[in-house]
Amino acid sequence: MNQNFAAIIIGGTGQVGGAAVAELLAIPECREVVMVTRKPIAARSRVRNVVLDTGAADFAERTAALAREVISQGPVSAVSCVGVGSGSMRWSEEELQRLEVGVVGAFARGCHDAGIAQFCLLSAAGSTARSRFRYVRVMGMKEDTVRNVGFARLAIFRPGIIVGNAHTPAWVGWLGSLVPGSFGNIDQRILGRSIAAEIALHSREAGEVTRENAAMKKLAARFNAAFR
């Protein structure tokens, strides 16, 4: 188990990111969650907010400087929960790439340059850069970008339909309940819990792991056994 660790997260103010932060804070060994945001957020115990311009040319360098400071206090893992979800239909592919590939890629490079070994990446079911579907293709491009950064431990989370989420219409959740496997429903609390469990339980492992719905549910159950 990862002892006395911190997490640095981008996308932590979103629905899934918020769930991941809440689950991280439920772990006594988590000394701090550092949330990188574009605008200030309300203060919370064991949460530090650092405002950075994610669109700036030096975002990766600023992230690296922050990560080095956090690492000086002990082990650190990095998390990206950036995602536009259902709002992607209103975005052009260029806009999607600027956020999902550009911003996330710069954050990942900064974390890696600072010496962070473990990175957790929120993606989506079926993601591949070869897809003819725009959103799935961009998610695959994001995965490839972070993969090429070279983290010792990369955990990719590929949820299906995320329920319990303000951006998921009720009818979509109902439809997802009829779909088995990786493209079906997963509660955002389970998703957030599985991200926290990856950090708490697997930070010392090496290699890449891709987790879809069933694997995330199993990992969340291990979290419950360890921390609840």
Side-chain angles (χ1 to χ4, degrees):
M1 185 180 298
N2 195 355
Q3 298 292 326
N4 186 30
F5 67 92
I8 180 170
I9 181 169
I10 189 172
T13 59
Q15 297 278 302
V16 174
V21 169
E23 298 296 341
L24 284 165
L25 293 174
I27 303 172
E29 291 79 9
C30 179
R31 68 178 185 272
E32 181 181 43
V33 176
V34 180
M35 295 179 63
V36 175
T37 63
R38 291 178 299 165
K39 298 179 181 179
I41 60 174
R44 297 166 61 186
S45 176
R46 285 192 293 146
V47 174
R48 176 156 52 116
N49 178 214
V50 177
V51 177
L52 294 178
D53 181 358
T54 58
D58 63 348
F59 176 55
E61 289 76 14
R62 289 181 178 272
T63 297
L66 170 64
R68 289 188 188 100
E69 184 269 314
V70 182
I71 288 172
S72 70
Q73 305 299 315
V76 181
S77 298
V79 183
S80 170
C81 285
V82 168
V84 295
S86 62
S88 65
M89 296 302 294
R90 300 189 295 271
W91 292 48
S92 67
E93 182 160 345
E94 181 181 0
E95 290 172 324
L96 280 172
Q97 288 191 31
R98 190 178 303 124
L99 173 66
E100 300 281 4
V101 180
V103 172
V104 175
F107 177 72
R109 289 192 300 275
C111 290
H112 181 267
D113 289 349
I116 291 177
Q118 182 189 40
F119 195 91
C120 298
L121 177 66
L122 176 64
S123 186
S127 295
T128 171
R130 298 181 298 276
S131 177
R132 57 193 178 89
F133 297 104
R134 182 182 64 175
Y135 181 73
V136 176
R137 181 169 62 250
V138 173
M139 293 299 100
M141 293 169 63
K142 175 170 70 172
E143 290 185 10
D144 289 345
T145 297
V146 175
R147 183 177 292 115
N148 290 334
V149 170
F151 287 98
R153 174 71 174 183
L154 174 60
I156 299 174
F157 294 80
R158 290 181 177 173
I161 296 172
I162 303 172
V163 295
N165 188 300
H167 302 299
T168 303
W171 68 269
V172 174
W174 175 84
L175 184 64
S177 67
L178 305 178
V179 178
S182 60
F183 289 90
N185 285 349
I186 184 166
D187 190 282
Q188 70 177 11
R189 293 170 297 182
I190 299 297
L191 175 50
R193 198 167 297 155
S194 67
I195 292 171
E198 161 67 23
I199 293 172
L201 303 174
H202 297 283
S203 65
R204 293 184 176 87
E205 297 177 17
E208 178 180 324
V209 60
T210 299
R211 292 196 171 93
E212 298 182 338
N213 284 359
M216 287 187 279
K217 291 172 182 176
K218 289 181 180 178
L219 189 55
R222 288 186 60 203
F223 180 95
N224 286 341
F227 303 109
R228 294 293 172 88

